[in-house]
Amino acid sequence: MKRMFTLLAVVVASVLSIATLSARELNVVPEPAYVDLEAEGDYAVTNKTRIIVVDEMWAPAERFSEDMMATMGFEKPMHMSKHGNKGIKVRTDSCIASEGYEMTVSEEGVLIIGGDEAGVYYGLQTLRQILVTNNGCVPYGFVADEPSFRYRGAHLDVCRHFMSVDDVKEYIDILAAHKLNRLHWHLTDDQGWRIEIKAYPELTEKGSVRKETLIGHGLEPKWWDGKPHGGYYTQEQIRDVVKYAAERYVTIVPEIEMPGHAQAALHALPWLGCNEQEVDVWTMWGVTPEVLCAGKETTYTFLENVLKEVIELFPSELIHIGGDECPKDRWKECEHCQAMMKAQGLENEEALQGYLVTRIEKFLNAQGRRIIGWDEILEGGVTPSSTVMAWRGAKIGAYAAEHGHEVVMTPLPICYFDFYQTESREGEGLRIGGHINFEKIYSWDPFEGISESARKNIIGVQCNVWSEYLKDISMVEGQLLPRLAAMCEVQWAVDRRDESTIRRKMENLRKFYDACGWNYAPYYFDGRQ
Ligand code: ACM
Ligand code: ZN
């Protein structure tokens, strides 16, 4: 049916003007599930248009009004009331899927019915994209839409380079506009501890600042910048960001890295390490041998105390416990680690990591939360109740899904948005490496190699923005956009991607990015891949 209307639109468009063409196609990213634009005519939305709020849908209506001021130049908030005839009417209907919506446009105005509050919000996001790129007009017709995946995430590393509260909020705005619903906030790592923990003030007092930053790929002294870099979020700021995200239907999944990627914590609290030696907050990138001691009870008490505060701040059911890239050199030489292995009957150091992860999983389960971790958590024999973030390859994600884990697919290189965007790398500036372009992301099949029965375990897809070479939010945005547009088509519209229309849609979306004032990379638009 949808194809028929698309065909009809193409035939009609070929005999009409360009202006009419753009008016008769929605050109929305991500692609809605069903679009019918058969009726002739457009409805114009202005600052005088009323929002008629049914079922107490005030919150998404207010977000829409704010967005219209920010992107359409509306001078004042839109008028909202419970009653009225013409305007933008919003309500819910539980017959519609969660996060889904239907939008009907006629002479009477726009009616958006969401499956829930988030669905109303996503309907309004679709409406906003159309209005911003179509001179404030939306064509008469009907749209029905719902997401492919329930976890639609983007990760942000604020450890390698700190991003302010306002920067993180802008990042959330961008995710929400692409209908993503998870921000994976990478808060602790070797190069900086970024979350205030009241039980251990040293973590941020000492662990949030490094002496200098590696600015090249080489290791000679001349490649460091010689400037201290730091920053952290107070608990009050974190509450503010969590609320801001929730108002945009984004759940923040906080990540506290363990037992590796913890050198900043070791600098602040040397007793967390095996040999208790002083180490710096790391000034390099990669994998350090300095990791948390998994043999001492004090490490477990520390982790539990940190997590107690984390779960007070973040309502997310999933709490990310890291788990990746933990060298075992220190553990092999540590009497505490070796004694713990003996006491627990653990065969090797990999099993010791499994012991730590499982123990933390039990702790979080008892608090009503569940763990998510990078795919190395599979190596220590965690139970299928843990969610696996598959990063080292889609095959590992397939393995985890076949073994009963819920899986978020975020494999290299497809989902690594810190990578270069063109093969030639010309004009891109220094980046971590690799190369992944828009088209490869857009055409990626996240179900490849996964049996029909295990597909249900793929709960979502995520892109990762590591910030080793991204010093500020503008650089982050340049890595994120427009590749996030390809990613959100996978996340929201996996079975309705269409190579023949995506470029036209992207030209339209570019206008939307300009209206929002977001930075984006030129390569896809220039045809440089
Ligand atoms: C990762 O990229 N180390 C998860
Ligand atoms: Zn140890």
Side-chain angles (χ1 to χ4, degrees):
M1 193 67 164
K2 190 187 118 219
R3 295 264 170 254
M4 206 177 87
F5 285 118
T6 309
L7 189 66
L8 185 67
V10 170
V11 172
V12 172
S14 64
V15 292
L16 296 176
S17 70
I18 295 297
T20 315
L21 167 78
S22 59
R24 301 317 303 164
E25 290 184 340
L26 274 192
N27 282 328
V28 166
V29 175
E31 183 66 21
Y34 176 80
V35 178
D36 170 357
L37 300 180
E38 218 172 7
E40 280 296 319
D42 294 306
Y43 183 79
V45 173
T46 70
N47 207 170
K48 296 212 174 78
T49 305
R50 175 182 298 261
I51 309 181
I52 304 149
V53 179
V54 187
D55 298 339
E56 302 298 325
M57 288 296 111
W58 299 101
E62 273 161 25
R63 291 296 85 69
F64 180 75
S65 170
E66 286 165 11
D67 286 344
M68 287 292 98
M69 287 169 75
T71 45
M72 287 287 291
F74 285 7
E75 282 167 6
K76 51 185 176 40
M78 295 174 76
H79 195 79
M80 291 182 212
S81 61
K82 279 193 171 190
H83 305 285
N85 297 323
K86 281 196 155 191
I88 300 169
K89 190 173 194 172
V90 290
R91 67 177 175 86
T92 53
D93 183 335
S94 58
C95 293
I96 295 171
S98 173
E99 299 188 298
Y101 65 91
E102 291 178 2
M103 178 167 79
T104 310
V105 186
S106 67
E107 299 91 339
E108 294 303 306
V110 183
L111 169 65
I112 290 176
I113 310 175
D116 48 21
E117 202 174 292
V120 171
Y121 181 75
Y122 293 129
L124 288 168
Q125 283 294 350
T126 297
L127 177 62
R128 169 165 77 131
Q129 212 185 96
I130 297 165
L131 294 175
V132 169
T133 56
N134 199 36
N135 300 319
C137 291
V138 52
Y140 294 165
F142 176 74
V143 175
D145 202 4
E146 64 179 71
S148 306
F149 290 103
R150 70 174 197 263
Y151 182 117
R152 304 180 300 280
H155 148 290
L156 180 63
D157 169 15
V158 292
C159 300
R160 278 48 180 262
H161 282 98
F162 181 68
M163 307 286 155
S164 71
V165 165
D166 284 345
D167 293 344
V168 178
K169 286 182 177 175
E170 182 152 314
Y171 196 78
I172 291 166
D173 290 343
I174 296 173
L175 305 197
H178 290 80
K179 300 190 174 84
L180 271 68
N181 64 359
R182 293 289 186 285
L183 166 61
H184 170 178
W185 204 2
H186 187 81
L187 286 164
T188 72
D189 214 306
D190 302 311
Q191 297 82 1
W193 183 283
R194 307 276 177 233
I195 171 174
E196 178 190 24
I197 299 295
K198 304 237 188 227
Y200 306 103
E202 302 90 335
L203 286 170
T204 42
E205 279 165 15
K206 295 184 180 170
S208 69
V209 185
R210 61 174 178 265
K211 284 186 192 142
E212 54 186 349
T213 296
L214 185 72
I215 48 175
H217 281 162
L219 301 180
E220 301 92 333
K222 66 180 181 197
W223 292 77
W224 276 267
D225 66 357
K227 289 184 234 156
H229 178 87
Y232 70 90
Y233 310 102
T234 65
Q235 294 203 349
E236 196 184 344
Q237 287 175 319
I238 287 181
R239 281 200 186 88
D240 176 43
V241 175
V242 168
K243 178 169 174 284
Y244 186 90
E247 286 167 353
R248 285 148 188 85
Y249 306 89
V250 172
T251 301
I252 300 187
V253 179
E255 180 179 2
I256 306 296
E257 274 271 21
M258 64 187 80
H261 285 293
Q263 193 168 315
L266 291 168
H267 170 72
L269 305 167
W271 50 264
L272 289 170
C274 290
N275 55 25
E276 308 204 357
Q277 270 171 17
E278 298 248 335
V279 291
D280 279 339
V281 179
W282 214 26
T283 58
M284 287 181 27
W285 318 130
V287 179
T288 159
E290 307 305 337
V291 304
L292 301 179
C293 176
K296 288 187 269 189
E297 277 306 312
T298 46
T299 304
Y300 295 89
T301 309
F302 166 80
L303 289 173
E304 291 181 6
N305 286 341
V306 168
L307 289 170
K308 269 184 215 159
E309 294 191 31
V310 167
I311 60 182
E312 281 297 312
L313 293 167
F314 294 95
S316 169
E317 187 194 11
L318 289 177
I319 303 290
H320 204 301
I321 52 96
D324 59 323
E325 299 178 318
C326 178
K328 307 294 187 289
D329 315 50
R330 297 289 176 265
W331 293 3
K332 286 188 175 138
E333 296 155 7
C334 171
E335 56 178 305
H336 306 287
C337 286
Q338 295 304 314
M340 181 67 92
M341 283 164 59
K342 207 163 170 198
Q344 299 296 331
L346 304 169
E347 221 167 83
N348 52 31
E349 286 74 17
E350 277 65 38
L352 179 57
Q353 173 156 346
Y355 171 77
L356 181 140
V357 170
T358 310
R359 201 164 145 178
I360 294 301
E361 179 180 28
K362 280 196 191 119
F363 171 77
L364 282 170
N365 290 164
Q367 317 289 319
R369 307 303 178 97
R370 293 195 302 128
I371 64 162
I372 180 167
W374 299 110
D375 57 49
E376 286 94 328
I377 66 170
L378 287 166
E379 290 164 12
V382 285
T383 68
S385 65
S386 57
T387 302
V388 173
M389 199 165 257
W391 73 278
R392 288 178 298 173
K395 277 194 178 143
I396 298 180
Y399 172 89
E402 300 292 346
H403 285 79
H405 290 270
E406 290 193 337
V407 174
V408 174
M409 282 292 202
T410 184
L412 283 160
I414 295 284
C415 299
Y416 272 59
F417 283 19
D418 50 340
F419 280 18
Y420 286 97
Q421 310 189 49
T422 65
E423 211 166 351
S424 75
R425 303 180 176 185
E426 226 174 278
E428 288 205 51
L430 190 68
R431 297 291 180 267
I432 194 95
H435 156 232
I436 188 71
N437 68 25
F438 183 98
E439 265 115 9
K440 283 194 185 132
I441 301 162
Y442 187 68
S443 58
W444 171 51
D445 175 10
F447 292 119
E448 195 185 342
I450 297 168
S451 69
E452 214 45 59
S453 63
R455 281 179 170 226
K456 64 178 186 312
N457 289 339
I458 308 295
I459 62 164
V461 173
Q462 174 176 292
C463 56
N464 301 324
V465 183
W466 301 100
S467 61
E468 283 92 338
Y469 295 95
L470 309 176
K471 293 184 192 342
D472 56 41
I473 191 68
S474 173
M475 290 175 87
V476 164
E477 287 177 11
Q479 291 295 107
L480 188 66
L481 303 177
R483 292 186 292 191
L484 186 66
M487 180 54 62
C488 82
E489 293 279 2
V490 179
Q491 293 169 324
W492 182 276
V494 73
D495 55 354
R496 42 189 191 258
R497 288 171 289 166
D498 185 343
E499 304 278 354
S500 70
T501 58
I502 186 61
R503 191 159 276 282
R504 195 158 62 239
K505 293 203 310 177
M506 288 304 296
E507 285 304 333
N508 209 44
L509 192 67
R510 181 183 199 167
K511 291 189 236 162
F512 180 73
Y513 289 168
D514 286 332
C516 294
W518 297 331
N519 186 30
Y520 55 85
Y523 318 111
Y524 173 77
F525 298 110
D526 291 357
R528 277 187 286 154
Q529 292 275 329

